[in-house]
Amino acid sequence: MYTWEEIEEHVNSCAACPLCRTRKHPVMGRGDHKGKLMLVAEAPGGQEDLAGLPFVGPAGKVLDELLASVEIRREDIYITNILKCHPPGNRDPLEQEKEACMPYLKYETYLMKPRIIVCLGRVAAQRLIDPGYRITRQHGTWVERKGCFMTATYHPSALLRDPSKMEDGKRDFQRIREKLRELGL
Ligand code: URA
């Protein structure tokens, strides 16, 4: 098994898919490795690609608002993506890219052992919960896998595009806050 530092070194020199030729910086997950809550989104956006950090652009501001609404601090949780490199033009990740990148998320999950995983958006939910996952219908519902509770909510970028979904997004974060309490966390 690798350490966090070794995983990050692998991510930083990764050439497992063609995105390594277009990325500016790979974006490893960030946050508390000993936290209980892991958020998994899709792939770094343009600003994240420049900064090498997750959720520093406009979607990050929306995420901060959702977290603040339930008094969860970024530094107490871990935030990562299915893909560690930015797909040009923010297109959906290709199957081949997801396959190539999944081992990193598996290592992150193995090392952190989160009690709750929240998928931000369809791409993460379909990859981690169910290939047929429908965010609009299923957001905010829970499944338990080997003692880890998993749910999904709208991607913060979707809330930027359609602010009428913000109330639903905030309600999902209240459910996450309740689940943390239920688990005594
Ligand atoms: N969108 C994502 O899916 N991930 C990020 O890190 C930033 C924006």
Side-chain angles (χ1 to χ4, degrees), residues 160-171:
L160 267 180
R161 283 192 300 271
D162 180 0
S164 72
K165 293 194 170 91
M166 194 66 183
E167 278 316 298
D168 277 351
K170 284 194 172 162
R171 211 165 302 126

Side-chain angles (χ1 to χ4, degrees), residues 27 41-45 48 53-56 59-60 79-81 120 155 157:
V27 179
E42 171 176 333
E48 289 75 20
L53 296 167
F55 281 102
V56 290
I79 305 175
T80 191
N81 285 292
L120 300 176
H155 191 288
S157 304

Side-chain angles (χ1 to χ4, degrees), residues 8-179:
E8 185 152 3
E9 274 168 33
H10 281 285
V11 167
N12 285 340
S13 58
C14 184
C17 87
L19 292 181
C20 67
R21 294 199 287 272
T22 49
R23 73 173 177 228
K24 298 208 166 45
H25 296 101
V27 179
M28 175 73 184
R30 280 285 177 278
D32 186 356
H33 295 161
K34 295 193 166 69
K36 303 298 170 197
L37 173 58
M38 173 186 265
L39 306 188
V40 184
E42 171 176 333
Q47 304 223 13
E48 289 75 20
D49 185 41
L50 289 175
L53 296 167
F55 281 102
V56 290
K61 292 216 162 50
V62 177
L63 180 59
D64 285 339
E65 185 183 337
L66 291 164
L67 291 170
S69 73
V70 288
E71 294 173 353
I72 295 175
R73 301 183 320 160
R74 250 202 211 216
E75 55 267 40
D76 295 332
I77 65 174
Y78 186 76
I79 305 175
T80 191
N81 285 292
I82 302 272
L83 293 196
K84 305 308 191 230
C85 293
H86 173 56
N90 272 338
R91 62 159 170 74
D92 275 2
L94 304 177
E95 213 42 57
Q96 164 210 4
E97 294 160 355
K98 288 186 273 187
E99 269 319 300
C101 223
M102 270 309 283
Y104 296 126
L105 182 60
K106 288 199 177 134
Y107 292 133
E108 289 170 292
T109 312
Y110 180 82
L111 284 178
M112 180 179 164
K113 297 190 175 45
R115 294 298 311 284
I116 298 178
I117 295 179
V118 177
C119 300
L120 300 176
R122 169 183 54 88
V123 169
Q126 292 188 344
R127 185 73 205 195
L128 301 186
I129 300 178
D130 173 4
Y133 200 93
R134 303 282 301 271
I135 286 283
T136 323
R137 286 199 204 142
Q138 291 172 268
H139 70 93
T141 59
W142 294 95
V143 294
E144 188 188 348
R145 304 246 170 93
K146 298 183 198 159
C148 178
F149 290 86
M150 303 182 72
T151 190
T153 186
Y154 292 105
H155 191 288
S157 304
L159 301 180
L160 267 180
R161 283 192 300 271
D162 180 0
S164 72
K165 293 194 170 91
M166 194 66 183
E167 278 316 298
D168 277 351
K170 284 194 172 162
R171 211 165 302 126
D172 290 342
F173 272 80
Q174 279 163 14
R175 293 186 179 111
I176 295 160
R177 170 41 92 198
E178 280 158 24
K179 183 64 80 181

